[in-house]
Amino acid sequence: MTARARTRALALADRAQKVPGAHLVVRIVRDIAVNDLTDRSMTLAAQAFTSVLPIVILLTALPSHDFIDTALTNLGIDPSRVDIPSATSPGSITAYGVIGALMTIAGATSLSRALGRMYVSIWQVTKVPLSSWWRWVVVIFALPLGVVLQGLSSGLHSITITGLTIAGYGAAGVALEIVATLVIWSGMWTLIPRLLVSSQVPVRLLALNGAVTGVFVTVLLVGSRIALPTILGETTRHFGTLGIVFVAISWLFFFCGIIVTCVIVVHSLTSDDGAVGQWLQRHLGTPRPFPVRRNETVDDLFGADSAPPAGR
């Protein structure tokens, strides 16, 4: 019975391989399986939780931060309920301290470096040198900027052409907000990998990755707007303040899972030897790693704590 089942399974697998596109689907599934999707997503989620929040707090310590308060309010976060010292007094920046701010920024770059290791490993390119440290800092401020832009765009949903709204939502405003969300996160996930891998990956390929990522991030954010208030209310009722942490980490896990999955899928599509992969390679290009210096080791190339590159 076992031998017969194995024979039938192999026969079905051979037939499946003959179906158009089956080889590409199998490659994508295999690449997702071997690239530690869960581990990478949880690592990035934890890094985001401990990196982005301190930067947002740092930004609220600036003298002019009304637009940040507006953005957070639009996202459903009441800044007045967050225990952050007011920055309207001259002593607020001093209280935070220049040294404290620099330490916060330096610690937050752990997220940038984790993202960089992920892109380097999946796209099989060279790790940028330490002299490009400024790229990590820019990424750390780019992510909160995306959150702020998202918050500011959340006010678009009230726009209406006919004058009819449902619970404050107009059809034209909702469409504008969705488009704005797509533009914000497509641009963000085109810019961030560009900073972290430099010119090793063509901009057109990065734009495809950014567009695909932006679509799924937009779906997540729209779904979050609908379902998250109920989930957060129930979790807070059962677990109190700890429930907010559970929801935040879970949401970040799904967010980072989208980031990692999109990179893996785009890499699989563009590196496949089939018709789709060849077409994408002609029109979008392929990653071209920088030359490796003689004194660089494999850990220097792909990052000491990175998983093996996709397809290896």
Side-chain angles (χ1 to χ4, degrees):
M1 293 294 293
T2 303
R4 186 182 302 176
R6 184 181 298 109
T7 302
R8 290 182 178 178
L10 291 174
L12 289 174
D14 290 337
R15 291 182 182 179
Q17 289 290 337
K18 296 178 182 179
V19 176
H23 175 74
L24 182 57
V25 172
V26 171
R27 180 192 176 101
I28 292 173
V29 173
R30 183 197 66 192
D31 287 349
I32 291 176
V34 302
N35 273 279
D36 297 327
L37 173 62
T38 303
D39 291 344
R40 290 184 189 275
S41 301
M42 183 54 70
T43 298
L44 291 175
Q47 295 285 4
F49 187 78
T50 57
S51 298
V52 176
L53 182 59
I55 294 298
V56 173
I57 295 175
L58 177 61
L59 292 176
T60 59
L62 297 175
S64 300
H65 63 282
D66 292 341
F67 70 99
I68 298 178
D69 291 345
T70 302
L72 294 177
T73 301
N74 289 341
L75 290 174
I77 303 171
D78 186 0
S80 64
R81 300 182 62 182
V82 181
D83 189 16
I84 300 174
S86 175
T88 56
S89 61
S92 56
I93 293 293
T94 304
Y96 202 100
V98 175
I99 295 178
L102 293 176
M103 291 180 65
T104 299
I105 295 171
T109 58
S110 60
L111 173 60
S112 303
R113 287 179 274 121
L115 282 168
R117 291 191 296 269
M118 183 265 293
Y119 287 122
V120 165
S121 178
I122 294 175
W123 276 328
Q124 303 178 31
V125 294
T126 308
K127 185 179 179 181
V128 294
L130 188 60
S131 58
S132 299
W133 60 269
W134 59 270
R135 298 173 182 269
W136 301 334
V137 178
V138 174
V139 168
I140 280 303
F141 281 97
L143 286 170
L145 176 62
V147 175
V148 171
L149 291 176
Q150 179 64 53
L152 294 176
S153 67
S154 297
L156 296 174
H157 65 257
S158 59
I159 297 176
T160 178
I161 298 177
T162 61
L164 298 176
T165 60
I166 300 176
Y169 288 82
V174 170
L176 285 174
E177 184 177 345
I178 292 175
V179 171
T181 301
L182 178 61
V183 171
I184 290 169
W185 294 108
S186 295
M188 190 64 60
W189 293 108
T190 302
L191 172 65
I192 288 176
R194 177 67 176 184
L195 288 167
L196 295 175
V197 299
S198 189
S199 59
Q200 298 179 94
V201 181
V203 174
R204 286 174 293 180
L205 182 52
L206 292 177
L208 173 63
N209 177 75
V212 173
T213 306
V215 168
F216 285 97
V217 168
T218 300
V219 172
L220 174 66
L221 293 176
V222 171
S224 300
R225 181 71 66 87
I226 298 172
L228 199 57
T230 302
I231 296 174
L232 187 60
E234 290 295 326
T235 307
T236 305
R237 186 178 302 111
H238 287 86
F239 300 101
T241 305
L242 191 60
I244 300 177
V245 178
F246 291 156
V247 173
I249 288 292
S250 300
W251 189 91
L252 286 171
F253 175 78
F254 284 109
F255 185 90
C256 295
I258 289 174
I259 306 304
V260 179
T261 302
C262 289
V263 177
I264 295 173
V265 171
V266 170
H267 175 268
S268 299
L269 290 173
T270 55
S271 60
D272 187 66
D273 296 330
V276 174
Q278 293 178 2
W279 187 89
L280 290 174
Q281 291 168 21
R282 286 197 306 270
H283 291 82
L284 303 181
T286 57
R288 300 194 177 195
F290 291 146
V292 183
R293 294 188 296 271
R294 293 181 183 177
N295 59 345
E296 283 184 324
T297 64
V298 175
D299 286 346
D300 294 326
L301 179 60
F302 295 113
D305 52 353
S306 296
R312 292 198 175 186

